[in-house]
């Protein structure tokens, strides 16, 4: 009986050790999966953000040139294909980014974390939960941003068509009766607006987030349609109808005085709150990872350490992101030219990130700040890639 009890105790002890070892291995696997996902997802997303940053800078450069005080309507028309081509690249990249963050959000949701216990288990659950919260705000911002881009593009299209009218009026000003038919073909893009089924690109998203912007597009549509219809009747010799439509045209022209300064600010409140929440979450995640490493929770007997995290790279891009929030808050760009000065300058606005500012590996960041743009360079120590993000002034 005594021997049997000893065997039972031994077997129970061995079973307990086996269960404990199996749990630790499963916990290590979960931790490794989380680390790999965290690093892979941010790498994918920053690659897309970096590409979008360069395209946005190019787009901004074109718009500044064509809307310069010395530019002409013909200069805008000549640049429109380049403008729309660059926009199409931006739109494609925005769509890819939207799909990417939705996919990565689902990857985090599918991580098996419910059975985990202790400090490491709490770390895994907390980081996974924070990332899903981050994606809820980032996805919201992505939808707003996409609607804003399409509003911008549609207005640029409307301005192009208004410039077609300007050039038509110039070409026919000497004798409209004899020259209108000659130059009528230049107004052919305006025929789209006469279609009862005409819709602006992505107008449902624009209606949802920028109703005043959509109202402006509607006013443009009405004016451009009325102008084309009037000229068409005039060229066909129906002067009575053209005269009647000219009166209607004067009425629709009254609505063509949009305040472009406020047109794109309808969602600024929600966008800014999302930004603040994103910064809080990213800061909390970085602090969580720093604490995890300082407690050496990455160490396991007989298994490789799990301490490779790209939290400093994420923080570096977060300071670029917060610099954009700084502009929204103050209407001034950050003036700093060094990482140390930048962190000090950004500490003057909320949310407060000083809990991680002092833990950030400042050596991975470089800044170039001039009259045209701010360049942020963030080194990925694990991937040996230097990301370049741009804020165009």
């Amino acid at each position: 009986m005594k021997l049997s009890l000893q065997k039972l105790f031994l077997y129970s002890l061995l079973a307990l050790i086996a269960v404990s070892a199996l749990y630790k291995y499963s916990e290590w696997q979960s931790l490794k999966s989380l680390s790999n996902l965290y690093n892979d997802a941010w790498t994918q997303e920053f690659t897309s953000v970096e590409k979008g940053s360069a395209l946005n800078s190019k787009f901004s450069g074109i718009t500044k040139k064509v809307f310069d005080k010395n530019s002409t309507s013909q200069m805008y028309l000549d640049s429109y294909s380049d403008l729309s081509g660059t926009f199409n690249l931006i739109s494609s990249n925005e769509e890819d980014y939207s799909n990417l963050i939705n996919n990565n959000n689902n990857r985090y949701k599918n991580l098996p974390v419910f059975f985990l216990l202790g400090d490491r288990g709490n770390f895994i659950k907390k980081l996974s939960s924070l990332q899903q919260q981050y994606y809820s705000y980032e996805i919201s911002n992505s939808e707003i941003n996409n609607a804003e881009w399409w509003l911008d593009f549609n207005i640029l299209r409307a301005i192009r068509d208004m410039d077609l009218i300007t050039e038509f009026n110039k070409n026919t000003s000497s004798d409209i009766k004899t020259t209108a038919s000659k130059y009528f073909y230049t107004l052919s893009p305006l025929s789209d607006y006469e279609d009862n089924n005409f819709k602006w690109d992505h107008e449902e998203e624009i209606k949802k987030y920028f109703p005043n912007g959509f109202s402006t597009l509607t006013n443009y549509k009405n004016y451009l349609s009325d102008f084309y219809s009037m000229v068409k009747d005039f060229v066909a010799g129906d002067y009575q109808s053209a005269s009647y439509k000219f009166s209607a045209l004067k009425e629709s022209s009254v609505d063509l005085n949009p305040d472009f300064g406020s047109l794109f600010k309808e969602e600024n409140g929600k966008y800014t709150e999302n930004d603040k929440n994103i910064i809080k979450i990213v800061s909390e995640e970085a602090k969580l990872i720093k604490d995890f490493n300082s407690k050496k929770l990455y160490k396991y007997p007989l298994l490789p350490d799990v301490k490779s995290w790209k939290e400093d790279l994420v923080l570096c891009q977060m300071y670029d992101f917060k610099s954009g929030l700084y502009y929204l808050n103050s209407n001034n760009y950050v003036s700093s030219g060094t990482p140390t000065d930048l962190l000090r300058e950004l500490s003057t606005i909320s949310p407060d990130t000083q809990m991680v500012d002092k833990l950030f590996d400042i050596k991975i960041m470089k800044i170039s700040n001039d009259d045209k743009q701010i360049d942020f360079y963030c080194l990925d120590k694990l991937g040996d890639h230097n990301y370049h993000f741009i804020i165009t002034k």
Side-chain angles (χ1 to χ4, degrees):
M1 178 67 71
K2 184 177 180 181
L3 185 60
S4 295
L5 287 174
Q6 287 177 339
K7 284 184 177 180
L8 180 61
F9 175 76
L10 179 60
Y11 291 154
S12 298
L13 181 62
L14 289 173
L16 182 62
I17 292 172
V19 170
S20 177
L22 181 61
Y23 172 79
K24 284 298 178 184
Y25 181 74
S26 297
E27 181 186 77
W28 176 82
Q29 284 278 24
S30 295
L31 192 59
K32 189 173 70 167
S33 295
L34 177 61
S35 174
N36 290 340
L37 174 54
Y38 178 88
N39 292 336
D40 181 55
W42 283 116
T43 298
Q44 291 177 346
E45 290 163 30
F46 287 162
T47 299
S48 180
V49 171
E50 180 182 44
K51 180 180 178 182
S53 179
L55 288 170
N56 293 351
S57 179
K58 179 181 178 181
F59 188 83
S60 178
I62 300 171
T63 55
K64 283 182 179 179
K65 181 181 70 174
V66 298
F67 289 118
D68 181 81
K69 62 181 180 180
N70 296 318
S71 66
T72 64
S73 56
Q74 188 59 54
M75 287 172 61
Y76 183 81
L77 294 172
D78 292 342
S79 301
Y80 185 75
S81 61
D82 193 16
L83 198 65
S84 59
T86 304
F87 174 83
N88 287 333
L89 293 175
I90 291 172
S91 175
S92 176
N93 190 64
E94 287 287 329
E95 184 177 350
D96 290 344
Y97 179 74
S98 177
N99 292 334
L100 183 61
I101 57 178
N102 276 283
N103 179 60
N104 285 338
N105 184 37
N106 289 329
R107 292 169 71 187
Y108 274 99
K109 288 180 179 178
N110 291 328
L111 279 177
V113 300
F114 65 94
F115 67 93
L116 298 170
L117 305 169
D119 290 343
R120 293 184 180 92
N122 289 336
F123 168 79
I124 295 170
K125 290 178 180 177
K126 182 68 172 175
L127 186 57
S128 177
S129 175
L130 285 171
Q131 269 299 120
Q132 290 174 62
Q133 292 175 45
Y134 160 80
Y135 282 120
S136 70
Y137 295 115
E138 185 67 6
I139 289 168
S140 174
N141 268 2
S142 177
E143 291 174 354
I144 296 170
N145 195 47
N146 187 56
E148 183 176 355
W149 270 110
W150 281 108
L151 172 59
D152 193 5
F153 179 71
N154 285 323
I155 286 179
L156 291 174
R157 172 186 173 179
I159 292 173
R160 178 205 65 177
D161 293 340
M162 293 294 291
D163 282 348
L164 289 176
I165 291 176
T166 299
E167 291 301 308
F168 175 83
N169 288 337
K170 285 181 183 177
N171 290 327
T172 60
S173 60
S174 59
D175 185 359
I176 191 169
K177 281 192 174 181
T178 59
T179 58
S181 58
K182 177 181 178 181
Y183 290 100
F184 180 58
Y185 77 95
T186 63
L187 299 178
S188 59
L190 276 60
S191 63
D192 292 344
Y193 300 108
E194 281 197 308
D195 188 344
N196 291 331
N197 296 318
F198 173 83
K199 285 183 177 293
W200 295 99
D201 289 326
H202 293 256
E203 69 172 41
E204 293 305 318
E205 295 99 306
I206 297 170
K207 282 181 188 178
K208 179 179 179 180
Y209 293 108
F210 298 93
N212 290 337
F214 180 72
S215 178
T216 297
L217 289 175
T218 300
N219 291 338
Y220 271 121
K221 186 263 181 189
N222 291 338
Y223 180 85
L224 292 164
S225 175
D226 288 347
F227 187 91
Y228 182 79
S229 179
M230 177 194 70
V231 176
K232 184 171 67 173
D233 285 350
F234 186 85
V235 169
D238 190 347
Y239 301 124
Q240 183 177 357
S241 176
S243 178
Y244 172 78
K245 289 178 180 178
F246 179 72
S247 299
L249 189 68
K250 288 192 291 185
E251 291 181 15
S252 58
S253 66
V254 174
D255 298 323
L256 290 181
N257 292 300
D259 179 5
F260 290 114
S262 62
L263 196 61
F264 296 93
K265 295 181 179 179
E266 291 181 77
E267 287 292 329
N268 268 12
K270 183 176 182 180
Y271 201 94
T272 299
E273 282 306 306
N274 285 346
D275 283 352
K276 289 181 178 179
N277 286 319
I278 286 170
I279 291 169
K280 288 176 185 176
I281 290 170
V282 169
S283 300
E284 189 175 349
E285 285 182 349
K287 180 68 165 53
L288 193 65
I289 293 171
K290 296 290 187 184
D291 290 345
F292 172 87
N293 283 335
S294 69
K295 294 174 183 176
K296 298 185 177 179
L297 294 175
Y298 53 79
K299 284 188 170 295
Y300 281 84
L302 307 177
L303 292 170
D305 293 346
V306 186
K307 64 175 184 179
S308 296
W309 305 84
K310 298 190 178 187
E311 79 280 5
D312 283 312
L313 173 63
V314 177
L315 283 176
C316 184
Q317 202 277 333
M318 184 268 283
Y319 294 124
D320 160 45
F321 187 77
K322 193 175 181 181
S323 297
L325 183 62
Y326 183 96
Y327 177 79
L328 286 177
N329 281 358
S330 65
N331 207 32
N332 291 308
Y333 294 100
V334 292
S335 59
S336 304
T338 68
T340 301
D341 290 341
L342 177 68
L343 267 59
R344 188 181 302 115
E345 191 171 8
L346 293 179
S347 69
T348 62
I349 66 166
S350 64
D352 182 4
T353 59
Q354 293 182 69
M355 65 176 180
V356 291
D357 291 352
K358 58 187 177 183
L359 301 175
F360 172 57
D361 183 1
I362 208 164
K363 297 189 298 296
I364 73 164
M365 175 190 275
K366 291 183 180 179
I367 303 173
S368 173
N369 196 344
D370 58 32
D371 293 339
K372 295 182 179 180
Q373 65 187 42
I374 309 170
D375 298 274
F376 294 83
Y377 300 93
C378 298
L379 177 64
D380 178 2
K381 294 181 290 186
L382 298 180
D384 196 29
H385 177 77
N386 207 17
Y387 288 93
H388 180 203
F389 307 110
I390 305 168
I391 293 179
T392 305
K393 295 181 179 179

